[in-house]
């Protein structure tokens, strides 16, 4: 399957914090951390667990740049 | 300066492709590439050049997860 | 492959309008039209053509509701 | 009233799940389901109820495409 | 018509810059400027002109905070 | 520090409503209110308090226009 999103970052789930409708999923992506805020329903549906290999998909229109 | 965004990825500008109102900026972030679609005006205003050190700011609500 | 996105709308590409960095892709999704604004690069990479069956992925955080 | 958003999907509210600050609203849109994550405050303010006819507004920049 | 979006900023169109598929619309909102990037098609469809009174709708999930 | 975001609205925090993973932060921006939905973790990390001067950063791609 191919995606229009320009950002497809391979990561490993490091923590999952569910509360009510929402869940915060932290990934290790190379030397960085990437955090996704998804529905708790999505965590169940994907059967997400610590150690899972997942891809973070991010549209390039959602990326802001900051320069010192 | 501190940001509410959970994703603050340090990168180096590798290419800038401007066309009309828009510009596509590619960063090297560790072993990954991150692409930001911004306005051409922003590229001018930040005086973005290849080799610049920038930070990609991404809200965690904009991150989608895919699992094989 | 499974996605955290709550909205996974199956559609058929009806038109592709590329200009510079950007492309507007219109899908038929049931009786509705769905429009995606993606990079022209994504259209090439996915080899998108009229008649292709694709899925529109939309995070639920990106959906706004209006009530008369 | 007219909207810049390219996606204006007419739907009927099928379920509302509120928890704390957030609410997940599911719509029937033709043969598909569309889910919106909004604030619980918005659900009150719009007096959203099951069976309500609403419009899901989605900017085309928020739509990602996936092709098998 | 009522909206789930928490941010409904009343403004006056100050400039419209169309190029290809995209258009950048600048509004005066009180003492501030608000810029919207929309499709050129939307500008036509709304018959947007300088001086028009419009509302900028922004989901609260799209707002990032920075603190010095 | 400079930002690619076209919208950089200076505001003062008027209320903070945290619940579980999420927090709703309301700002006074000129004569308007701006609401940001961020993680509760961000509120802690920025040590956000009522009266703080902050900047709301919003990408122009996230702004929708409505015209009567």
């Amino acid at each position: 399957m191919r995606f229009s999103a320009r950002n497809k970052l391979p990561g490993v789930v490091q923590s999952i914090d569910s509360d009510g409708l929402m869940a915060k999923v932290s990934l290790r992506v190379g030397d960085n951390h990437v955090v996704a805020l998804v529905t708790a329903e999505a965590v169940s549906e994907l059967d997400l667990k610590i150690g899972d290999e997942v891809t973070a998909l991010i549209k390039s229109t959602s990326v802001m740049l900051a320069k010192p």
Side-chain angles (χ1 to χ4, degrees), chain A residues 17-30:
Chain A
D17 187 0
S18 289
D19 180 272
L21 292 172
M22 308 302 291
K24 188 171 56 142
V25 181
S26 299
L27 312 178
R28 180 146 209 90
V29 174

Side-chain angles (χ1 to χ4, degrees), chain A residues 11-19 21-29 32-44 46-56:
Chain A
V12 175
V13 176
Q14 292 207 301
S15 69
I16 301 171
D17 187 0
S18 289
D19 180 272
L21 292 172
M22 308 302 291
K24 188 171 56 142
V25 181
S26 299
L27 312 178
R28 180 146 209 90
V29 174
N32 292 293
H33 287 273
V34 168
V35 177
L37 201 67
V38 300
T39 57
E41 185 185 62
V43 169
S44 299
L46 272 67
D47 190 25
L48 275 186
K49 292 181 301 290
I50 291 173
D52 278 357
E53 298 192 353
V54 297
T55 302

